[in-house]
Amino acid sequence: MSKFHQKEVDRRRTFGIISHPDAGKTTLTEKLLLFGGAIQMAGAVKARKAARHATSDWMAMEQERGISVTSSVMKFNYRNFEVNLLDTPGHQDFSEDTYRVLTAVDSALMVIDSAKGVETQTRKLMEVCRMRNTPIITFINKLDREGLSPLDLLSDIEETLQVECAPLSWPIGMGKRFKGTYNLYRKQLTLFTPGQETRPEDAVVINDLADPRVDELLGSQADELREDIELLEGAANPFDLEHYLKGNQTPVFFGSAINNFGVQEMLDAFVELAPAPLSRETTSREVSPYEEAFSGFVFKINRGMKLRHHRIGKDVSVSNATIFMAQDRTNVEEAYAGDIIGVHNHGTIKIGDTFTIKEPLKFTGIPSFAPEHFRRVRLKNPLKTKQLEKGLIQLAEEGAVQLFRPLINTDYILGAVGVLQFDVIMSRLKAEYGVDAIYEGIDYATARWIGCGDKKKLEEFERKNQGNLAMDAEGNLSYLASSEWRLGHTAEQWPDIAFHKTREHN
Ligand code: G4P
């Protein structure tokens, strides 16, 4: 392998943002893109978000989804690093895609609203990161507003997410009293002026907090900072690169995305600490990021690719340019480990598929995730059963939704991680398969894939739980339950049966 190749791989950082809606992901993304010099793109992120807020009309939302769903990677350069920021759709767009994006990243950035602490969506996304021991850097946002105390925020993260926190910066006051942050490792004070964007060059180096300059700069809050830092020295975990890279510890920064405060400090740490593209497991061997021969896996299928409009027998093509908003990436000439490329799909590509030059490989770790929302599909015209089945199977293969067929009847049950997936399926069934259907509610709230090495036990389990069992689109036995409690109860009763929350693709 050439030195050049190795350098290209080593300077790449491929990551995604995990956060709950409104924590500040869009705002932070914009600031990151600005540091990367991608000014036009930053505007586009905002416009996209505005469009989302402005509309409740389905058609408009669809149109707008055409952009938001397809703009899956933002590429920018920062210092000598090439950063790939993978979009993790939130808000109404929250779906299995959001989870799956996290199977393609080498690290993640967690954004927390200082007034809210850890919220549900963050918790769910963090579960996916935990499965893969993804290293995570935390940015606690909105320090310009009143929020929880920094210590409470750290213990909330540690307790709720089971990850050790190592603060790398520390806030001085908050809300109206927010004076800035103190970088514990660089021993630098960065002062905050509302409405004025601050850069690390404006930081004041403070070798000793006893320095009277600290009092000049912070007034009565100087002693508060000294006390906090003294407390931290005794109580906080020191940063440990190994722990971070294993996903056991998260370095924490405080700031305010909208004021661009603390963002570059975090970005600097990110490019230095976050891992370059990592090795990947396949069913036969580990693939090194430095291998010259191309290999890649499918983690997302965009609607922006060519789609077959079966009823009218034509291919419908959504403009290539919208596939990757970052740059004109339609003609990618070279790509290195960690890069995301788009290929046309004519209905043959499935989530989890592997592409290689020659060697047959199958990457692992791109699973399906247990759905949390369910609907029963009812046809308006019973003569269309064949089309419905074909459509649902294809959409399930594409990863747009999960399909379950109960053992005891001929229902079609759809499962999703985000409810908007259902609307998308309905409109696509109509447009692409000519099927008119409606949804009925169904009393399921969770699902697990069943595994058991003991054939006898499995048969007994199947016999006694028929009413809750279904086959997914790939023929795997699944258990559907009306509540987490029910699921837990059943799992307790059947200790020899494994209830899996994720499933690898065949
Ligand atoms: P999201 O993508 O995670 O959903 O969050 P987004 O960036 O859209 O931010 C959600 C709201 O929080 C926005 O306000 C945004 O301006 C605000 N916000 C982001 N960062 C900060 C911060 O550091 N401090 C404060 N005080 N607010 C912040 P909005 O009113 O919903 O939208 P907008 O009209 O301001 O765009």
Side-chain angles (χ1 to χ4, degrees):
M1 182 196 46
S2 72
K3 274 235 165 67
F4 175 76
H5 183 136
Q6 183 168 3
K7 234 172 103 185
E8 281 300 320
V9 173
D10 287 345
R11 70 189 195 93
R12 273 167 169 73
R13 297 289 180 273
T14 300
F15 81 110
I17 297 182
I18 63 174
S19 64
H20 192 80
D22 287 333
K25 183 186 78 169
T26 311
T27 312
L28 186 70
T29 301
E30 264 187 47
K31 304 300 177 196
L32 293 175
L33 295 178
L34 285 169
F35 285 119
I39 292 158
Q40 276 180 326
M41 267 156 44
V45 179
K46 185 127 189 156
R48 198 169 108 205
K49 175 91 184 232
R52 183 147 50 201
H53 278 314
T55 176
S56 58
D57 173 58
W58 166 245
M59 279 313 286
M61 194 159 85
E62 260 294 85
Q63 254 175 15
E64 169 253 313
R65 278 187 64 83
I67 308 165
S68 72
V69 172
T70 54
S71 53
S72 36
V73 59
M74 290 161 261
K75 198 180 190 60
F76 63 94
N77 285 289
Y78 179 68
R79 289 171 30 192
N80 196 28
F81 295 91
E82 190 148 335
V83 184
N84 291 314
L85 169 49
L86 271 57
D87 189 29
T88 41
H91 288 269
Q92 310 99 309
D93 290 346
F94 186 68
S95 67
E96 217 186 328
D97 266 350
T98 315
Y99 288 163
R100 259 185 314 244
V101 162
L102 296 174
T103 66
V105 301
D106 296 301
S107 74
L109 175 63
M110 173 161 78
V111 182
I112 303 252
D113 182 332
S114 65
K116 306 267 181 64
V118 178
E119 298 174 87
T120 45
Q121 196 165 298
T122 308
R123 195 170 42 71
K124 289 181 185 177
L125 295 171
M126 183 67 178
E127 266 182 48
V128 180
C129 293
R130 299 293 332 209
M131 281 169 38
R132 309 178 58 247
N133 301 324
T134 307
I136 297 191
I137 290 184
T138 300
F139 185 79
I140 298 185
N141 191 26
K142 307 196 187 181
L143 264 291
D144 59 318
R145 288 210 187 145
E146 291 301 326
L148 305 169
S149 85
L151 282 174
D152 285 346
L153 285 160
L154 297 191
S155 50
D156 182 31
I157 294 170
E158 294 203 331
E159 273 160 38
T160 317
L161 303 177
Q162 296 293 306
V163 63
E164 200 177 277
C165 289
L168 294 193
S169 83
W170 198 251
I172 303 151
M174 65 170 70
K176 288 205 171 69
R177 295 180 74 246
F178 184 51
K179 283 278 185 303
T181 51
Y182 179 67
N183 187 306
L184 295 156
Y185 283 74
R186 291 191 186 153
K187 303 210 180 300
Q188 282 179 352
L189 203 58
T190 313
L191 296 180
F192 174 70
T193 319
Q196 186 187 311
E197 299 198 348
T198 319
R199 302 185 143 241
E201 300 94 76
D202 307 332
V204 187
V205 180
I206 300 285
N207 289 319
D208 181 357
L209 275 178
D211 191 329
R213 271 195 307 163
V214 179
D215 299 272
E216 274 165 38
L217 295 166
L218 300 178
S220 63
Q221 283 173 261
D223 281 342
E224 278 172 42
L225 175 65
R226 289 181 183 121
E227 277 165 33
D228 277 1
I229 301 303
E230 202 176 334
L231 186 77
L232 285 178
E233 272 161 11
N237 306 297
F239 173 67
D240 181 319
L241 185 65
E242 282 301 305
H243 279 18
Y244 157 67
L245 291 174
K246 284 188 184 140
N248 296 328
Q249 187 189 71
T250 177
V252 180
F253 290 89
F254 292 84
S256 167
I258 202 149
N259 291 292
N260 206 352
F261 188 87
V263 177
Q264 194 168 15
E265 184 183 22
M266 189 268 304
L267 179 59
D268 279 324
F270 166 77
V271 291
E272 276 160 29
L273 304 177
L278 302 164
S279 295
R280 289 268 174 178
E281 282 301 333
T282 72
T283 48
S284 46
R285 66 179 185 88
E286 197 176 274
V287 174
S288 154
Y290 302 117
E291 290 179 21
E292 302 237 353
F294 176 89
S295 65
F297 64 86
V298 178
F299 69 95
K300 180 162 179 171
I301 294 181
N302 276 326
R303 294 193 57 197
M305 295 173 180
K306 253 207 178 101
L307 299 169
R308 183 89 178 151
H309 190 163
H310 292 272
R311 188 170 47 81
I312 60 170
K314 275 189 191 157
D315 278 345
V316 185
S317 160
V318 179
S319 165
N320 271 339
T322 61
I323 292 181
F324 298 110
M325 69 183 277
Q327 292 166 3
D328 179 11
R329 306 202 69 212
T330 49
N331 293 311
V332 178
E333 308 243 318
E334 53 174 28
Y336 294 88
D339 283 340
I340 315 301
I341 60 170
V343 291
H344 280 290
N345 181 21
H346 296 277
T348 47
I349 300 174
K350 291 191 206 176
I351 294 286
D353 281 358
T354 301
F355 287 97
T356 65
I357 295 285
K358 199 162 86 206
E359 183 189 2
L361 289 174
K362 173 79 191 141
F363 284 100
T364 57
I366 311 107
S368 280
F369 296 87
E372 290 169 29
H373 304 279
F374 297 84
R375 298 281 187 278
R376 193 199 326 256
V377 185
R378 278 263 183 269
L379 269 177
K380 282 194 190 159
N381 175 356
L383 294 176
K384 293 271 188 174
T385 309
K386 263 212 168 116
Q387 284 92 325
L388 175 72
E389 181 160 310
K390 185 175 169 197
L392 289 178
I393 288 174
Q394 285 188 354
L395 291 167
E397 282 177 352
E398 198 183 288
V401 79
Q402 289 184 40
L403 174 63
F404 297 96
R405 307 299 313 272
L407 297 191
I408 52 164
N409 60 43
T410 56
D411 282 351
Y412 294 90
I413 295 175
L414 299 188
V417 160
V419 285
L420 196 80
Q421 287 179 255
F422 294 127
D423 295 344
V424 172
I425 294 302
M426 222 23 122
S427 73
R428 290 189 61 186
L429 277 177
K430 199 170 162 63
E432 294 162 35
Y433 301 91
V435 173
D436 251 327
I438 49 166
Y439 286 128
E440 289 173 354
I442 187 160
D443 187 25
Y444 292 130
T446 185
R448 291 292 183 274
W449 285 281
I450 295 302
C452 181
D454 183 336
K455 225 173 153 193
K456 270 225 165 96
K457 277 263 153 57
L458 186 62
E459 277 170 13
E460 189 192 348
F461 175 74
E462 283 187 35
R463 221 174 29 248
K464 300 219 166 133
N465 292 279
Q466 282 224 335
N468 288 76
L469 292 173
M471 289 294 181
D472 74 3
E474 290 185 10
N476 300 289
L477 187 65
S478 329
Y479 177 84
L480 310 183
S482 56
S483 68
E484 287 288 335
W485 182 85
R486 274 253 155 248
L487 170 69
H489 184 68
T490 308
E492 239 171 63
Q493 280 183 317
W494 297 88
D496 301 314
I497 304 285
F499 294 80
H500 300 289
K501 216 173 171 177
T502 57
R503 180 183 66 75
E504 286 282 328
H505 290 270
N506 298 335

